[in-house]
Amino acid sequence: FIGTDVSGLVDRGNGNNGIFVSYAGMNVIGTDGDGLSDEAERNVVSANRLNGVTITNADENVVAGNFIGTDASGVLPLGNTWYGVRIDDGASGNLTGTNGDGESDEAERNIISDNGRDGITITGTNTNDNVVAGNYIGTDVTGSVVMGNGSVVDDDGVSIAEGAQNNVIGTDSATPNVVERNVI
């Protein structure tokens, strides 16, 4: 529980980011998706004063199976003040969500909701080849109750900006897979 009390229900947000990965690669934040204790590997990253998860100038990290911006049940809002997930400053080859390999794909889904700005932002020159797949963005854990991101009129579920290229939102279409579909 990062930014909440031990119950995962009460705001105890950090003064900055919940999780900050910088110049570090091949880390797993959440489940490894091996089918063993995937739910127990989940992080609740909520109520932090900046971003839930920030990956900056770091490659090949995985963010999977987390509740980012909700309480531990995934049904009540407990948003981070800024972005749910921010990938920037040349971070490349990062995965947010499922790898679509047919093993534990639903457990790899992130719930990214009720954050003050974009649910996910991918921004900056050379911030390339990142994948966002199989997530619920702006909903509760069921995917059917609205818990939108952004309190400003120009905020988005997912934003790609400022020179970021070759990023994939949803299925890679090489082997179309319904579990790689995001609900935004």
Side-chain angles (χ1 to χ4, degrees):
F1 298 111
I2 302 167
T4 71
D5 72 345
V6 69
S7 71
L9 304 173
V10 178
D11 178 345
R12 296 284 186 260
N14 294 291
N16 218 325
N17 296 289
I19 298 172
F20 185 74
V21 179
S22 178
Y23 294 95
M26 302 177 67
N27 298 289
V28 176
I29 300 166
T31 185
D32 58 11
D34 66 359
L36 303 172
S37 301
D38 292 323
E39 283 189 27
E41 295 168 345
R42 169 184 303 134
N43 295 294
V44 175
V45 187
S46 298
N48 298 291
R49 301 306 174 248
L50 285 181
N51 307 316
V53 177
T54 297
I55 300 174
T56 184
N57 208 338
D59 301 337
E60 299 181 34
N61 295 285
V62 176
V63 179
N66 302 292
F67 289 175
I68 303 171
T70 73
D71 73 340
S73 71
V75 298
L76 295 175
L78 197 58
N80 297 288
T81 302
W82 285 37
Y83 303 100
V85 177
R86 181 178 176 94
I87 302 171
D88 68 10
D89 199 22
S92 295
N94 297 287
L95 171 63
T96 303
T98 184
N99 58 13
D101 68 357
E103 185 172 345
S104 298
D105 292 323
E106 289 185 15
E108 294 167 342
R109 170 185 302 132
N110 295 293
I111 309 304
I112 305 171
S113 299
D114 191 52
N115 298 289
R117 301 293 306 267
D118 301 336
I120 300 173
T121 189
I122 301 171
T123 185
T125 303
N126 297 320
T127 306
N128 304 334
D129 305 310
N130 298 287
V131 176
V132 175
N135 302 289
Y136 287 176
I137 302 169
T139 76
D140 75 342
V141 70
T142 68
S144 60
V145 176
V146 174
M147 286 184 15
N149 294 289
S151 57
V152 180
V153 77
D154 62 348
D155 292 325
D156 304 296
V158 178
S159 171
I160 302 174
E162 299 180 20
Q165 298 179 22
N166 299 321
N167 297 285
V168 175
I169 310 302
T171 185
D172 59 13
S173 75
T175 54
N177 190 334
V178 70
V179 298
E180 293 175 325
R181 175 182 54 201
N182 295 292
V183 174
I184 304 173

